[in-house]
Amino acid sequence: MASPFPLPDPMRRALDLARAAQAADEVPIGAVVTLDGQIIGEGENRNRRDKDPTAHAEMVAIRAAAAYLGDFRLTGCDLWVTLEPCPMCAGAISHARIARLYYAASDPKGGAIEQGPRLFTQPQCLHRPEVYGDLAEAEASALLRDFFLARR
């Protein structure tokens, strides 16, 4: 069921990036980093294209935002992503000091925020962003479901 509230522009952009990833035969996940409401980094899954296991949408967007700011700390930034981040991406979010994480759909198999290791609740996690989930769950889940059904 669609939310009765309008989808924020950064999540809309992340969904567009997920569709672009799907068109490139990548798992359809997109991510956007914002600072004061302005997009400063974006990415889509690029694992196959870049032959890089770390080229998740979140990592690509975080790298772009860090390059834009000229700093590895993304203090005050928000990350918008279409799927709950995995452990690798959750670690990068913490290390980058991202202030807020917004994600569209939960990931029961590989997520690390509300699923699995719940990285931000661990005592070893030195920075914990505010987390807001399930913002566009139906749309993001449908993209993923359709992608994997087509591959079977």
Side-chain angles (χ1 to χ4, degrees):
M1 184 167 119
S3 170
F5 304 105
L7 201 56
D9 288 342
M11 187 59 78
R12 233 182 261 293
R13 178 64 183 146
L15 287 162
D16 288 344
L17 291 163
R19 285 188 277 277
Q22 183 176 25
D25 201 32
E26 299 275 359
V27 176
I29 301 171
V32 169
V33 177
T34 60
L35 178 62
D36 299 327
Q38 298 298 312
I39 294 175
I40 62 166
E42 59 182 39
E44 61 193 58
N45 269 8
R46 300 190 54 86
N47 303 98
R48 287 180 176 84
R49 285 175 282 178
D50 293 355
K51 297 172 182 46
D52 179 356
T54 70
H56 289 193
E58 301 94 312
M59 302 295 278
V60 174
I62 288 169
R63 288 180 189 131
Y68 177 84
L69 293 176
D71 195 351
F72 70 102
R73 296 280 193 229
L74 303 181
T75 306
C77 292
D78 300 335
L79 176 65
W80 303 77
V81 62
T82 59
L83 186 65
E84 177 184 357
C86 73
M88 173 184 68
C89 294
I93 291 164
S94 178
H95 284 288
R97 305 294 194 263
I98 289 175
R100 283 162 297 279
L101 167 65
Y102 300 89
Y103 65 89
S106 296
D107 184 0
K109 292 182 181 180
I113 309 304
E114 69 178 55
Q115 314 292 326
R118 299 176 187 215
L119 187 87
F120 300 144
T121 67
Q122 302 303 316
Q124 297 84 1
C125 184
L126 300 177
H127 172 76
R128 295 168 179 85
E130 295 174 28
V131 176
Y132 305 92
D134 301 327
L135 295 180
E137 183 176 17
E139 190 170 351
S141 294
L143 279 171
L144 289 159
R145 183 178 52 254
D146 293 348
F147 175 80
F148 287 111
L149 280 174
R151 294 183 71 84
R152 290 188 183 126

